[in-house]
Structures are given as structure tokens and as C-alpha cells.
Amino acid sequence: MSKNLNVILIGIDTLRADHLGCYGYKRPTSPNIDELARRSLLFTQCFSQAPITAPSFMSIMTSRYPSYHGITDNCRPSGKEWVRMYVLDPAIPTLAEVLKRHGYKTAAFTGGGNVYGAMGFDRGFDYCSKGTKWGVNRFLPSDNLAAEEIFSWLKEVARD
């Protein structure tokens, strides 16, 4: 391909494809996602590699099964606190690192604690907004992912 394409990966934890209009659901539950899908590439044969967030999303970011990238769980209890137990091997490249090597500007905006940067989810991103706060014994998701932050980043990199 002779032109660079924009790449936007939207990952929504626990969203059921069979409840989205772009996959045939009849109720109008997802008009914005449906419009984006109409104007984009829509995958119809996708399968999760794990039933929990961190291993599944790391498989998306590395194109490897959990048994090969090593992130096989979200977190585990240690005394009164929850701690992370797995970290991506630095030798395994992430999608963001590959895109960055090919001249893309990369950013991640997440509201989920199970895609925690220290596990390797922030690797390869020029900008990474975590959108989470530590609670006493757990991650607390932010009130919402600030659209202003996303659009601000997009405007900034569009000037380059």
C-alpha cells in the first residue's frame, strides 16, 4: 500500500458483539459504533484468547496466545491488597511498538485497571492515559474516559 492509513483499535471489555447493530442486532443499541463500522474495516471472525481482560488484551497487542506472551491472569490477592503478577517479556514486541517503528504516532486511552501499564500495556505508546486510580484494595475506574483528552491528542498530532 502506498499511503499510510490511520489505525484505531477500540477494545471494549465485556461487550457482546451479538448486541451491536453492525453485527446484526435489530435494536438501536450502538449507532456510533455501527457508523464507524460502516466506514471502516469490520472483522466478523474474531475469537477471544482468554475469558479475562489482561490475557485477552495482551493477545491483541502481541498477536500471541497467553501461554506465549505470559500474561495469564489479571491480578492476585496478596494479603490485604491486589497485586499484578505478570509482566510482558521485553523481547516480545507489541502492536504499538511495531506501528511506532513504522512512523505512526501512538496513544492509548484506557479506563480499565486490568490493562495496567506495568504489565507491559503501555509499551510503544507516545502517550498513555491510564484513566484509573488506585483504591484501597482494588482499581477504581475513572468516572469516564475524557473525550476532551482524546480529541486534544488527535489535534496535537494532526499538526505534525
Side-chain angles (χ1 to χ4, degrees):
M1 296 188 328
S2 62
K3 65 178 184 173
N4 288 335
L5 300 173
N6 292 322
V7 177
I8 299 174
L9 172 65
I10 300 173
I12 304 173
D13 197 16
T14 69
L15 177 67
R16 290 177 45 171
D18 65 342
H19 279 67
L20 297 174
C22 58
Y23 289 108
Y25 194 58
K26 300 301 180 205
R27 292 183 180 171
T29 57
S30 54
N32 294 324
I33 292 174
D34 299 341
E35 177 60 22
L36 179 62
R38 188 184 67 73
R39 298 184 305 148
S40 305
L41 178 62
L42 178 68
F43 293 92
T44 59
Q45 297 292 314
C46 298
F47 304 92
S48 177
Q49 298 305 314
I52 55 178
T53 306
S56 183
F57 274 81
M58 191 58 79
S59 289
I60 292 169
M61 295 306 294
T62 63
S63 192
R64 296 177 185 222
Y65 294 114
S67 57
Y68 287 94
H69 60 60
I71 308 299
T72 58
D73 202 351
N74 288 334
C75 55
R76 64 174 172 81
S78 174
K80 293 183 179 182
E81 294 189 18
W82 286 81
V83 296
R84 298 291 164 188
M85 58 191 298
Y86 302 107
V87 177
L88 182 65
D89 183 329
I92 298 174
T94 66
L95 175 61
E97 290 173 314
V98 171
L99 289 171
K100 190 171 176 62
R101 273 197 307 264
H102 285 88
Y104 282 86
K105 303 234 188 270
T106 58
F109 301 90
T110 178
N114 286 313
V115 289
Y116 185 55
M119 294 175 81
F121 283 103
D122 59 357
R123 286 195 6 218
F125 289 106
D126 298 314
Y127 181 80
C128 191
S129 174
K130 295 174 178 62
T132 57
K133 300 174 252 179
W134 275 103
V136 175
N137 291 321
R138 58 189 165 91
F139 280 104
L140 299 173
S142 60
D143 294 334
N144 68 30
L145 201 53
E148 301 85 36
E149 184 178 14
I150 296 169
F151 290 120
S152 174
W153 183 83
L154 288 169
K155 283 181 188 175
E156 183 179 315
V157 298
R159 287 187 222 128
D160 293 344

